[in-house]
């Protein structure tokens, strides 16, 4: 038989109602996603000849 490891019940290290983890980090991730999307579209435009670079 396969033994199951005991589940760890350690408390979360993120404090409740944390401004950093609830507001700042998601906003930074969204901004980085938009910058990445913009760079991809710019590269595609250059490759397709739409944008002269």
């Amino acid at each position: 038989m396969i033994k199951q490891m005991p589940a760890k019940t350690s408390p979360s290290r993120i404090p409740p109602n944390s401004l950093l983890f609830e507001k700042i980090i998601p906003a930074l991730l969204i901004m980085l996603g938009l910058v990445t999307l913009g760079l991809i579209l710019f590269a595609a435009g250059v490759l397709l000849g739409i944008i002269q670079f």
Side-chain angles (χ1 to χ4, degrees):
M1 262 206 275
I2 299 173
K3 286 186 176 180
Q4 289 184 345
M5 301 214 24
K8 289 187 177 181
T9 57
S10 62
S12 175
R13 299 172 104 187
I14 300 173
N17 300 324
S18 171
L19 176 68
L20 178 69
F21 291 105
E22 289 187 5
K23 302 284 184 201
I24 296 173
I25 290 179
L28 287 175
L29 287 174
I30 290 169
M31 277 191 344
L32 286 173
L34 292 175
V35 168
T36 303
L37 184 63
L39 289 171
I40 290 170
L41 292 175
F42 177 75
V46 170
L47 287 174
L48 295 172
I50 299 170
I51 299 171
Q52 298 295 324
F53 185 71

